[in-house]
Amino acid sequence: MKDPYQKYRFSAINIKKDVAIRFRNFSRLVSDSHTHTLERVMNFFEWNDLSPNDDLGINNNRTNKRINAVIAILKNIEKHQTLPTKAMLDTLFQEISNMENTEEKEEDFDFGSPEPLSRDNELDHYRNRYEEMQQLLGNHKNRMLDLLKRMTYVKGTFGKGHYKLDMDQPEFEKLKKEL
């Protein structure tokens, strides 16, 4: 295999030693040869219509055009996305504040003070409530025991077995409604 640089003619350029060392280090990062690195650097300046003496600040016409394009894009985003979203949020917050104002008006109504319960009445109330809850718990417990009695274990031919509930569809729907 031939060396690809054989067909080129090389020429020497005198460069200060510290600049040459800096260029060699830069060349290792950019390309596989000094020639390709120098070509890429020159192409960059030509393609971007730049000169090493150019000021890349705001004074450059091309940069100004790019900055103006970015500003136009941001204004467009603000006009079509941010402002409508802000308007929707403002409307939402305004509705919430209106609802809070109406709730404050509703709170102004006086429903009177509740009758204070005597100690005996309060104890009777809680005792009755406790008995109702105990009765309800007993009913649920009896239903669960009835369901467990109706369940049978079915051994699977392949793998684990499972439980089957012996109950017809209308009875099952009735149980669901009760629960």
mmCIF file with all atom_site columns, all heavy atoms in Angstrom, residues 75-100:
data_model
loop_
_atom_site.group_PDB
_atom_site.id
_atom_site.type_symbol
_atom_site.label_atom_id
_atom_site.label_alt_id
_atom_site.label_comp_id
_atom_site.label_asym_id
_atom_site.label_entity_id
_atom_site.label_seq_id
_atom_site.pdbx_PDB_ins_code
_atom_site.Cartn_x
_atom_site.Cartn_y
_atom_site.Cartn_z
_atom_site.occupancy
_atom_site.B_iso_or_equiv
_atom_site.pdbx_formal_charge
_atom_site.auth_seq_id
_atom_site.auth_comp_id
_atom_site.auth_asym_id
_atom_site.auth_atom_id
_atom_site.pdbx_PDB_model_num
ATOM 1   N N   . LYS A 1 75  ? -39.687 36.130 20.146 1.00 0.00 ? 75  LYS A N   1
ATOM 2   C CA  . LYS A 1 75  ? -40.926 36.916 20.143 1.00 0.00 ? 75  LYS A CA  1
ATOM 3   C C   . LYS A 1 75  ? -42.098 36.081 19.632 1.00 0.00 ? 75  LYS A C   1
ATOM 4   O O   . LYS A 1 75  ? -43.212 36.180 20.148 1.00 0.00 ? 75  LYS A O   1
ATOM 5   C CB  . LYS A 1 75  ? -40.752 38.175 19.298 1.00 0.00 ? 75  LYS A CB  1
ATOM 6   C CG  . LYS A 1 75  ? -39.945 39.256 19.968 1.00 0.00 ? 75  LYS A CG  1
ATOM 7   C CD  . LYS A 1 75  ? -39.862 40.499 19.109 1.00 0.00 ? 75  LYS A CD  1
ATOM 8   C CE  . LYS A 1 75  ? -39.069 41.590 19.819 1.00 0.00 ? 75  LYS A CE  1
ATOM 9   N NZ  . LYS A 1 75  ? -38.946 42.810 18.979 1.00 0.00 ? 75  LYS A NZ  1
ATOM 10  N N   . ASN A 1 76  ? -41.836 35.262 18.615 1.00 0.00 ? 76  ASN A N   1
ATOM 11  C CA  . ASN A 1 76  ? -42.877 34.400 18.074 1.00 0.00 ? 76  ASN A CA  1
ATOM 12  C C   . ASN A 1 76  ? -43.338 33.393 19.126 1.00 0.00 ? 76  ASN A C   1
ATOM 13  O O   . ASN A 1 76  ? -44.541 33.152 19.282 1.00 0.00 ? 76  ASN A O   1
ATOM 14  C CB  . ASN A 1 76  ? -42.352 33.680 16.821 1.00 0.00 ? 76  ASN A CB  1
ATOM 15  C CG  . ASN A 1 76  ? -43.428 32.911 16.117 1.00 0.00 ? 76  ASN A CG  1
ATOM 16  O OD1 . ASN A 1 76  ? -44.606 33.016 16.426 1.00 0.00 ? 76  ASN A OD1 1
ATOM 17  N ND2 . ASN A 1 76  ? -43.023 32.114 15.139 1.00 0.00 ? 76  ASN A ND2 1
ATOM 18  N N   . ILE A 1 77  ? -42.386 32.800 19.843 1.00 0.00 ? 77  ILE A N   1
ATOM 19  C CA  . ILE A 1 77  ? -42.740 31.842 20.903 1.00 0.00 ? 77  ILE A CA  1
ATOM 20  C C   . ILE A 1 77  ? -43.561 32.540 21.972 1.00 0.00 ? 77  ILE A C   1
ATOM 21  O O   . ILE A 1 77  ? -44.569 32.020 22.448 1.00 0.00 ? 77  ILE A O   1
ATOM 22  C CB  . ILE A 1 77  ? -41.459 31.212 21.498 1.00 0.00 ? 77  ILE A CB  1
ATOM 23  C CG1 . ILE A 1 77  ? -40.838 30.247 20.490 1.00 0.00 ? 77  ILE A CG1 1
ATOM 24  C CG2 . ILE A 1 77  ? -41.762 30.486 22.802 1.00 0.00 ? 77  ILE A CG2 1
ATOM 25  C CD1 . ILE A 1 77  ? -39.472 29.722 20.915 1.00 0.00 ? 77  ILE A CD1 1
ATOM 26  N N   . GLU A 1 78  ? -43.139 33.737 22.356 1.00 0.00 ? 78  GLU A N   1
ATOM 27  C CA  . GLU A 1 78  ? -43.868 34.480 23.388 1.00 0.00 ? 78  GLU A CA  1
ATOM 28  C C   . GLU A 1 78  ? -45.284 34.804 22.931 1.00 0.00 ? 78  GLU A C   1
ATOM 29  O O   . GLU A 1 78  ? -46.237 34.658 23.689 1.00 0.00 ? 78  GLU A O   1
ATOM 30  C CB  . GLU A 1 78  ? -43.110 35.758 23.713 1.00 0.00 ? 78  GLU A CB  1
ATOM 31  C CG  . GLU A 1 78  ? -43.756 36.586 24.811 1.00 0.00 ? 78  GLU A CG  1
ATOM 32  C CD  . GLU A 1 78  ? -42.964 37.841 25.117 1.00 0.00 ? 78  GLU A CD  1
ATOM 33  O OE1 . GLU A 1 78  ? -41.817 37.966 24.657 1.00 0.00 ? 78  GLU A OE1 1
ATOM 34  O OE2 . GLU A 1 78  ? -43.519 38.698 25.808 1.00 0.00 ? 78  GLU A OE2 1
ATOM 35  N N   . LYS A 1 79  ? -45.415 35.207 21.668 1.00 0.00 ? 79  LYS A N   1
ATOM 36  C CA  . LYS A 1 79  ? -46.716 35.624 21.147 1.00 0.00 ? 79  LYS A CA  1
ATOM 37  C C   . LYS A 1 79  ? -47.681 34.450 21.014 1.00 0.00 ? 79  LYS A C   1
ATOM 38  O O   . LYS A 1 79  ? -48.849 34.545 21.360 1.00 0.00 ? 79  LYS A O   1
ATOM 39  C CB  . LYS A 1 79  ? -46.517 36.288 19.786 1.00 0.00 ? 79  LYS A CB  1
ATOM 40  C CG  . LYS A 1 79  ? -47.787 36.778 19.139 1.00 0.00 ? 79  LYS A CG  1
ATOM 41  C CD  . LYS A 1 79  ? -47.473 37.436 17.812 1.00 0.00 ? 79  LYS A CD  1
ATOM 42  C CE  . LYS A 1 79  ? -48.715 37.878 17.088 1.00 0.00 ? 79  LYS A CE  1
ATOM 43  N NZ  . LYS A 1 79  ? -48.394 38.435 15.770 1.00 0.00 ? 79  LYS A NZ  1
ATOM 44  N N   . HIS A 1 80  ? -47.194 33.312 20.502 1.00 0.00 ? 80  HIS A N   1
ATOM 45  C CA  . HIS A 1 80  ? -48.083 32.193 20.201 1.00 0.00 ? 80  HIS A CA  1
ATOM 46  C C   . HIS A 1 80  ? -48.157 31.125 21.280 1.00 0.00 ? 80  HIS A C   1
ATOM 47  O O   . HIS A 1 80  ? -49.055 30.291 21.248 1.00 0.00 ? 80  HIS A O   1
ATOM 48  C CB  . HIS A 1 80  ? -47.662 31.548 18.872 1.00 0.00 ? 80  HIS A CB  1
ATOM 49  C CG  . HIS A 1 80  ? -47.934 32.422 17.699 1.00 0.00 ? 80  HIS A CG  1
ATOM 50  N ND1 . HIS A 1 80  ? -46.957 33.216 17.132 1.00 0.00 ? 80  HIS A ND1 1
ATOM 51  C CD2 . HIS A 1 80  ? -49.071 32.655 16.997 1.00 0.00 ? 80  HIS A CD2 1
ATOM 52  C CE1 . HIS A 1 80  ? -47.476 33.878 16.124 1.00 0.00 ? 80  HIS A CE1 1
ATOM 53  N NE2 . HIS A 1 80  ? -48.755 33.571 16.017 1.00 0.00 ? 80  HIS A NE2 1
ATOM 54  N N   . GLN A 1 81  ? -47.226 31.108 22.220 1.00 0.00 ? 81  GLN A N   1
ATOM 55  C CA  . GLN A 1 81  ? -47.237 30.050 23.228 1.00 0.00 ? 81  GLN A CA  1
ATOM 56  C C   . GLN A 1 81  ? -47.349 30.609 24.646 1.00 0.00 ? 81  GLN A C   1
ATOM 57  O O   . GLN A 1 81  ? -48.217 30.212 25.407 1.00 0.00 ? 81  GLN A O   1
ATOM 58  C CB  . GLN A 1 81  ? -45.983 29.182 23.115 1.00 0.00 ? 81  GLN A CB  1
ATOM 59  C CG  . GLN A 1 81  ? -45.938 28.386 21.833 1.00 0.00 ? 81  GLN A CG  1
ATOM 60  C CD  . GLN A 1 81  ? -44.630 27.630 21.693 1.00 0.00 ? 81  GLN A CD  1
ATOM 61  O OE1 . GLN A 1 81  ? -43.794 27.649 22.576 1.00 0.00 ? 81  GLN A OE1 1
ATOM 62  N NE2 . GLN A 1 81  ? -44.454 26.966 20.578 1.00 0.00 ? 81  GLN A NE2 1
ATOM 63  N N   . THR A 1 82  ? -46.485 31.521 25.003 1.00 0.00 ? 82  THR A N   1
ATOM 64  C CA  . THR A 1 82  ? -46.420 31.982 26.389 1.00 0.00 ? 82  THR A CA  1
ATOM 65  C C   . THR A 1 82  ? -47.618 32.846 26.764 1.00 0.00 ? 82  THR A C   1
ATOM 66  O O   . THR A 1 82  ? -48.232 32.629 27.803 1.00 0.00 ? 82  THR A O   1
ATOM 67  C CB  . THR A 1 82  ? -45.110 32.767 26.614 1.00 0.00 ? 82  THR A CB  1
ATOM 68  O OG1 . THR A 1 82  ? -44.018 31.973 26.158 1.00 0.00 ? 82  THR A OG1 1
ATOM 69  C CG2 . THR A 1 82  ? -44.914 33.078 28.074 1.00 0.00 ? 82  THR A CG2 1
ATOM 70  N N   . LEU A 1 83  ? -47.961 33.822 25.929 1.00 0.00 ? 83  LEU A N   1
ATOM 71  C CA  . LEU A 1 83  ? -49.063 34.722 26.266 1.00 0.00 ? 83  LEU A CA  1
ATOM 72  C C   . LEU A 1 83  ? -50.414 34.005 26.332 1.00 0.00 ? 83  LEU A C   1
ATOM 73  O O   . LEU A 1 83  ? -51.182 34.256 27.267 1.00 0.00 ? 83  LEU A O   1
ATOM 74  C CB  . LEU A 1 83  ? -49.105 35.897 25.291 1.00 0.00 ? 83  LEU A CB  1
ATOM 75  C CG  . LEU A 1 83  ? -47.930 36.886 25.412 1.00 0.00 ? 83  LEU A CG  1
ATOM 76  C CD1 . LEU A 1 83  ? -48.056 37.994 24.383 1.00 0.00 ? 83  LEU A CD1 1
ATOM 77  C CD2 . LEU A 1 83  ? -47.860 37.476 26.809 1.00 0.00 ? 83  LEU A CD2 1
ATOM 78  N N   . PRO A 1 84  ? -50.765 33.110 25.399 1.00 0.00 ? 84  PRO A N   1
ATOM 79  C CA  . PRO A 1 84  ? -52.037 32.385 25.549 1.00 0.00 ? 84  PRO A CA  1
ATOM 80  C C   . PRO A 1 84  ? -52.067 31.520 26.811 1.00 0.00 ? 84  PRO A C   1
ATOM 81  O O   . PRO A 1 84  ? -53.085 31.447 27.483 1.00 0.00 ? 84  PRO A O   1
ATOM 82  C CB  . PRO A 1 84  ? -52.116 31.526 24.282 1.00 0.00 ? 84  PRO A CB  1
ATOM 83  C CG  . PRO A 1 84  ? -51.266 32.215 23.289 1.00 0.00 ? 84  PRO A CG  1
ATOM 84  C CD  . PRO A 1 84  ? -50.179 32.850 24.075 1.00 0.00 ? 84  PRO A CD  1
ATOM 85  N N   . THR A 1 85  ? -50.946 30.901 27.140 1.00 0.00 ? 85  THR A N   1
ATOM 86  C CA  . THR A 1 85  ? -50.896 30.082 28.350 1.00 0.00 ? 85  THR A CA  1
ATOM 87  C C   . THR A 1 85  ? -51.082 30.962 29.579 1.00 0.00 ? 85  THR A C   1
ATOM 88  O O   . THR A 1 85  ? -51.810 30.612 30.506 1.00 0.00 ? 85  THR A O   1
ATOM 89  C CB  . THR A 1 85  ? -49.559 29.329 28.429 1.00 0.00 ? 85  THR A CB  1
ATOM 90  O OG1 . THR A 1 85  ? -49.377 28.568 27.234 1.00 0.00 ? 85  THR A OG1 1
ATOM 91  C CG2 . THR A 1 85  ? -49.521 28.417 29.624 1.00 0.00 ? 85  THR A CG2 1
ATOM 92  N N   . LYS A 1 86  ? -50.431 32.119 29.589 1.00 0.00 ? 86  LYS A N   1
ATOM 93  C CA  . LYS A 1 86  ? -50.583 33.043 30.714 1.00 0.00 ? 86  LYS A CA  1
ATOM 94  C C   . LYS A 1 86  ? -52.029 33.513 30.822 1.00 0.00 ? 86  LYS A C   1
ATOM 95  O O   . LYS A 1 86  ? -52.575 33.608 31.927 1.00 0.00 ? 86  LYS A O   1
ATOM 96  C CB  . LYS A 1 86  ? -49.647 34.246 30.537 1.00 0.00 ? 86  LYS A CB  1
ATOM 97  C CG  . LYS A 1 86  ? -49.701 35.219 31.702 1.00 0.00 ? 86  LYS A CG  1
ATOM 98  C CD  . LYS A 1 86  ? -48.824 36.425 31.424 1.00 0.00 ? 86  LYS A CD  1
ATOM 99  C CE  . LYS A 1 86  ? -48.859 37.436 32.534 1.00 0.00 ? 86  LYS A CE  1
ATOM 100 N NZ  . LYS A 1 86  ? -50.154 37.985 32.834 1.00 0.00 ? 86  LYS A NZ  1
ATOM 101 N N   . ALA A 1 87  ? -52.671 33.787 29.701 1.00 0.00 ? 87  ALA A N   1
ATOM 102 C CA  . ALA A 1 87  ? -54.062 34.233 29.721 1.00 0.00 ? 87  ALA A CA  1
ATOM 103 C C   . ALA A 1 87  ? -54.968 33.145 30.293 1.00 0.00 ? 87  ALA A C   1
ATOM 104 O O   . ALA A 1 87  ? -55.871 33.429 31.091 1.00 0.00 ? 87  ALA A O   1
ATOM 105 C CB  . ALA A 1 87  ? -54.513 34.619 28.313 1.00 0.00 ? 87  ALA A CB  1
ATOM 106 N N   . MET A 1 88  ? -54.717 31.890 29.910 1.00 0.00 ? 88  MET A N   1
ATOM 107 C CA  . MET A 1 88  ? -55.516 30.786 30.446 1.00 0.00 ? 88  MET A CA  1
ATOM 108 C C   . MET A 1 88  ? -55.324 30.659 31.951 1.00 0.00 ? 88  MET A C   1
ATOM 109 O O   . MET A 1 88  ? -56.279 30.461 32.705 1.00 0.00 ? 88  MET A O   1
ATOM 110 C CB  . MET A 1 88  ? -55.153 29.475 29.746 1.00 0.00 ? 88  MET A CB  1
ATOM 111 C CG  . MET A 1 88  ? -55.684 29.355 28.337 1.00 0.00 ? 88  MET A CG  1
ATOM 112 S SD  . MET A 1 88  ? -55.483 27.732 27.620 1.00 0.00 ? 88  MET A SD  1
ATOM 113 C CE  . MET A 1 88  ? -53.731 27.636 27.421 1.00 0.00 ? 88  MET A CE  1
ATOM 114 N N   . LEU A 1 89  ? -54.079 30.778 32.417 1.00 0.00 ? 89  LEU A N   1
ATOM 115 C CA  . LEU A 1 89  ? -53.810 30.684 33.851 1.00 0.00 ? 89  LEU A CA  1
ATOM 116 C C   . LEU A 1 89  ? -54.457 31.840 34.599 1.00 0.00 ? 89  LEU A C   1
ATOM 117 O O   . LEU A 1 89  ? -55.012 31.649 35.691 1.00 0.00 ? 89  LEU A O   1
ATOM 118 C CB  . LEU A 1 89  ? -52.302 30.654 34.111 1.00 0.00 ? 89  LEU A CB  1
ATOM 119 C CG  . LEU A 1 89  ? -51.597 29.349 33.736 1.00 0.00 ? 89  LEU A CG  1
ATOM 120 C CD1 . LEU A 1 89  ? -50.085 29.505 33.897 1.00 0.00 ? 89  LEU A CD1 1
ATOM 121 C CD2 . LEU A 1 89  ? -52.093 28.204 34.592 1.00 0.00 ? 89  LEU A CD2 1
ATOM 122 N N   . ASP A 1 90  ? -54.394 33.052 34.039 1.00 0.00 ? 90  ASP A N   1
ATOM 123 C CA  . ASP A 1 90  ? -55.043 34.196 34.681 1.00 0.00 ? 90  ASP A CA  1
ATOM 124 C C   . ASP A 1 90  ? -56.544 33.971 34.804 1.00 0.00 ? 90  ASP A C   1
ATOM 125 O O   . ASP A 1 90  ? -57.143 34.258 35.844 1.00 0.00 ? 90  ASP A O   1
ATOM 126 C CB  . ASP A 1 90  ? -54.769 35.485 33.894 1.00 0.00 ? 90  ASP A CB  1
ATOM 127 C CG  . ASP A 1 90  ? -53.331 35.960 34.035 1.00 0.00 ? 90  ASP A CG  1
ATOM 128 O OD1 . ASP A 1 90  ? -52.657 35.503 34.981 1.00 0.00 ? 90  ASP A OD1 1
ATOM 129 O OD2 . ASP A 1 90  ? -52.891 36.775 33.203 1.00 0.00 ? 90  ASP A OD2 1
ATOM 130 N N   . THR A 1 91  ? -57.160 33.457 33.741 1.00 0.00 ? 91  THR A N   1
ATOM 131 C CA  . THR A 1 91  ? -58.592 33.170 33.770 1.00 0.00 ? 91  THR A CA  1
ATOM 132 C C   . THR A 1 91  ? -58.906 32.130 34.837 1.00 0.00 ? 91  THR A C   1
ATOM 133 O O   . THR A 1 91  ? -59.872 32.267 35.586 1.00 0.00 ? 91  THR A O   1
ATOM 134 C CB  . THR A 1 91  ? -59.059 32.664 32.385 1.00 0.00 ? 91  THR A CB  1
ATOM 135 O OG1 . THR A 1 91  ? -58.677 33.613 31.398 1.00 0.00 ? 91  THR A OG1 1
ATOM 136 C CG2 . THR A 1 91  ? -60.560 32.471 32.356 1.00 0.00 ? 91  THR A CG2 1
ATOM 137 N N   . LEU A 1 92  ? -58.091 31.106 34.919 1.00 0.00 ? 92  LEU A N   1
ATOM 138 C CA  . LEU A 1 92  ? -58.291 30.052 35.909 1.00 0.00 ? 92  LEU A CA  1
ATOM 139 C C   . LEU A 1 92  ? -58.194 30.616 37.326 1.00 0.00 ? 92  LEU A C   1
ATOM 140 O O   . LEU A 1 92  ? -59.056 30.356 38.177 1.00 0.00 ? 92  LEU A O   1
ATOM 141 C CB  . LEU A 1 92  ? -57.255 28.944 35.713 1.00 0.00 ? 92  LEU A CB  1
ATOM 142 C CG  . LEU A 1 92  ? -57.294 27.792 36.698 1.00 0.00 ? 92  LEU A CG  1
ATOM 143 C CD1 . LEU A 1 92  ? -58.581 27.009 36.529 1.00 0.00 ? 92  LEU A CD1 1
ATOM 144 C CD2 . LEU A 1 92  ? -56.090 26.897 36.507 1.00 0.00 ? 92  LEU A CD2 1
ATOM 145 N N   . PHE A 1 93  ? -57.182 31.431 37.586 1.00 0.00 ? 93  PHE A N   1
ATOM 146 C CA  . PHE A 1 93  ? -57.024 32.009 38.915 1.00 0.00 ? 93  PHE A CA  1
ATOM 147 C C   . PHE A 1 93  ? -58.157 32.987 39.233 1.00 0.00 ? 93  PHE A C   1
ATOM 148 O O   . PHE A 1 93  ? -58.589 33.096 40.380 1.00 0.00 ? 93  PHE A O   1
ATOM 149 C CB  . PHE A 1 93  ? -55.666 32.684 39.059 1.00 0.00 ? 93  PHE A CB  1
ATOM 150 C CG  . PHE A 1 93  ? -54.528 31.710 39.147 1.00 0.00 ? 93  PHE A CG  1
ATOM 151 C CD1 . PHE A 1 93  ? -53.405 31.862 38.339 1.00 0.00 ? 93  PHE A CD1 1
ATOM 152 C CD2 . PHE A 1 93  ? -54.566 30.635 40.007 1.00 0.00 ? 93  PHE A CD2 1
ATOM 153 C CE1 . PHE A 1 93  ? -52.351 30.965 38.415 1.00 0.00 ? 93  PHE A CE1 1
ATOM 154 C CE2 . PHE A 1 93  ? -53.525 29.733 40.095 1.00 0.00 ? 93  PHE A CE2 1
ATOM 155 C CZ  . PHE A 1 93  ? -52.417 29.897 39.293 1.00 0.00 ? 93  PHE A CZ  1
ATOM 156 N N   . GLN A 1 94  ? -58.637 33.681 38.227 1.00 0.00 ? 94  GLN A N   1
ATOM 157 C CA  . GLN A 1 94  ? -59.748 34.606 38.440 1.00 0.00 ? 94  GLN A CA  1
ATOM 158 C C   . GLN A 1 94  ? -60.998 33.825 38.826 1.00 0.00 ? 94  GLN A C   1
ATOM 159 O O   . GLN A 1 94  ? -61.722 34.217 39.737 1.00 0.00 ? 94  GLN A O   1
ATOM 160 C CB  . GLN A 1 94  ? -59.988 35.424 37.167 1.00 0.00 ? 94  GLN A CB  1
ATOM 161 C CG  . GLN A 1 94  ? -61.038 36.489 37.320 1.00 0.00 ? 94  GLN A CG  1
ATOM 162 C CD  . GLN A 1 94  ? -61.191 37.289 36.042 1.00 0.00 ? 94  GLN A CD  1
ATOM 163 O OE1 . GLN A 1 94  ? -60.692 36.917 35.006 1.00 0.00 ? 94  GLN A OE1 1
ATOM 164 N NE2 . GLN A 1 94  ? -61.901 38.396 36.142 1.00 0.00 ? 94  GLN A NE2 1
ATOM 165 N N   . GLU A 1 95  ? -61.248 32.687 38.160 1.00 0.00 ? 95  GLU A N   1
ATOM 166 C CA  . GLU A 1 95  ? -62.399 31.846 38.494 1.00 0.00 ? 95  GLU A CA  1
ATOM 167 C C   . GLU A 1 95  ? -62.275 31.300 39.912 1.00 0.00 ? 95  GLU A C   1
ATOM 168 O O   . GLU A 1 95  ? -63.243 31.250 40.657 1.00 0.00 ? 95  GLU A O   1
ATOM 169 C CB  . GLU A 1 95  ? -62.532 30.695 37.491 1.00 0.00 ? 95  GLU A CB  1
ATOM 170 C CG  . GLU A 1 95  ? -62.988 31.119 36.120 1.00 0.00 ? 95  GLU A CG  1
ATOM 171 C CD  . GLU A 1 95  ? -64.374 31.708 36.142 1.00 0.00 ? 95  GLU A CD  1
ATOM 172 O OE1 . GLU A 1 95  ? -65.248 31.203 36.878 1.00 0.00 ? 95  GLU A OE1 1
ATOM 173 O OE2 . GLU A 1 95  ? -64.590 32.702 35.419 1.00 0.00 ? 95  GLU A OE2 1
ATOM 174 N N   . ILE A 1 96  ? -61.070 30.909 40.294 1.00 0.00 ? 96  ILE A N   1
ATOM 175 C CA  . ILE A 1 96  ? -60.861 30.385 41.644 1.00 0.00 ? 96  ILE A CA  1
ATOM 176 C C   . ILE A 1 96  ? -61.140 31.473 42.675 1.00 0.00 ? 96  ILE A C   1
ATOM 177 O O   . ILE A 1 96  ? -61.792 31.223 43.697 1.00 0.00 ? 96  ILE A O   1
ATOM 178 C CB  . ILE A 1 96  ? -59.430 29.827 41.792 1.00 0.00 ? 96  ILE A CB  1
ATOM 179 C CG1 . ILE A 1 96  ? -59.300 28.527 40.997 1.00 0.00 ? 96  ILE A CG1 1
ATOM 180 C CG2 . ILE A 1 96  ? -59.090 29.573 43.252 1.00 0.00 ? 96  ILE A CG2 1
ATOM 181 C CD1 . ILE A 1 96  ? -57.888 27.984 40.947 1.00 0.00 ? 96  ILE A CD1 1
ATOM 182 N N   . SER A 1 97  ? -60.669 32.685 42.424 1.00 0.00 ? 97  SER A N   1
ATOM 183 C CA  . SER A 1 97  ? -60.920 33.772 43.369 1.00 0.00 ? 97  SER A CA  1
ATOM 184 C C   . SER A 1 97  ? -62.415 34.096 43.434 1.00 0.00 ? 97  SER A C   1
ATOM 185 O O   . SER A 1 97  ? -62.943 34.407 44.503 1.00 0.00 ? 97  SER A O   1
ATOM 186 C CB  . SER A 1 97  ? -60.108 35.006 43.013 1.00 0.00 ? 97  SER A CB  1
ATOM 187 O OG  . SER A 1 97  ? -60.525 35.545 41.784 1.00 0.00 ? 97  SER A OG  1
ATOM 188 N N   . ASN A 1 98  ? -63.128 34.019 42.298 1.00 0.00 ? 98  ASN A N   1
ATOM 189 C CA  . ASN A 1 98  ? -64.575 34.234 42.309 1.00 0.00 ? 98  ASN A CA  1
ATOM 190 C C   . ASN A 1 98  ? -65.277 33.163 43.139 1.00 0.00 ? 98  ASN A C   1
ATOM 191 O O   . ASN A 1 98  ? -66.209 33.457 43.882 1.00 0.00 ? 98  ASN A O   1
ATOM 192 C CB  . ASN A 1 98  ? -65.140 34.243 40.883 1.00 0.00 ? 98  ASN A CB  1
ATOM 193 C CG  . ASN A 1 98  ? -64.740 35.492 40.116 1.00 0.00 ? 98  ASN A CG  1
ATOM 194 O OD1 . ASN A 1 98  ? -64.322 36.472 40.704 1.00 0.00 ? 98  ASN A OD1 1
ATOM 195 N ND2 . ASN A 1 98  ? -64.861 35.440 38.796 1.00 0.00 ? 98  ASN A ND2 1
ATOM 196 N N   . MET A 1 99  ? -64.833 31.931 43.004 1.00 0.00 ? 99  MET A N   1
ATOM 197 C CA  . MET A 1 99  ? -65.424 30.843 43.779 1.00 0.00 ? 99  MET A CA  1
ATOM 198 C C   . MET A 1 99  ? -65.167 31.053 45.268 1.00 0.00 ? 99  MET A C   1
ATOM 199 O O   . MET A 1 99  ? -66.042 30.806 46.098 1.00 0.00 ? 99  MET A O   1
ATOM 200 C CB  . MET A 1 99  ? -64.860 29.494 43.325 1.00 0.00 ? 99  MET A CB  1
ATOM 201 C CG  . MET A 1 99  ? -65.339 29.049 41.964 1.00 0.00 ? 99  MET A CG  1
ATOM 202 S SD  . MET A 1 99  ? -64.555 27.542 41.380 1.00 0.00 ? 99  MET A SD  1
ATOM 203 C CE  . MET A 1 99  ? -64.969 26.404 42.664 1.00 0.00 ? 99  MET A CE  1
ATOM 204 N N   . GLU A 1 100 ? -63.974 31.519 45.627 1.00 0.00 ? 100 GLU A N   1
ATOM 205 C CA  . GLU A 1 100 ? -63.664 31.773 47.033 1.00 0.00 ? 100 GLU A CA  1
ATOM 206 C C   . GLU A 1 100 ? -64.539 32.893 47.582 1.00 0.00 ? 100 GLU A C   1
ATOM 207 O O   . GLU A 1 100 ? -65.000 32.831 48.718 1.00 0.00 ? 100 GLU A O   1
ATOM 208 C CB  . GLU A 1 100 ? -62.185 32.115 47.191 1.00 0.00 ? 100 GLU A CB  1
ATOM 209 C CG  . GLU A 1 100 ? -61.264 30.931 47.000 1.00 0.00 ? 100 GLU A CG  1
ATOM 210 C CD  . GLU A 1 100 ? -59.788 31.319 47.036 1.00 0.00 ? 100 GLU A CD  1
ATOM 211 O OE1 . GLU A 1 100 ? -59.485 32.534 47.106 1.00 0.00 ? 100 GLU A OE1 1
ATOM 212 O OE2 . GLU A 1 100 ? -58.963 30.401 46.985 1.00 0.00 ? 100 GLU A OE2 1
#
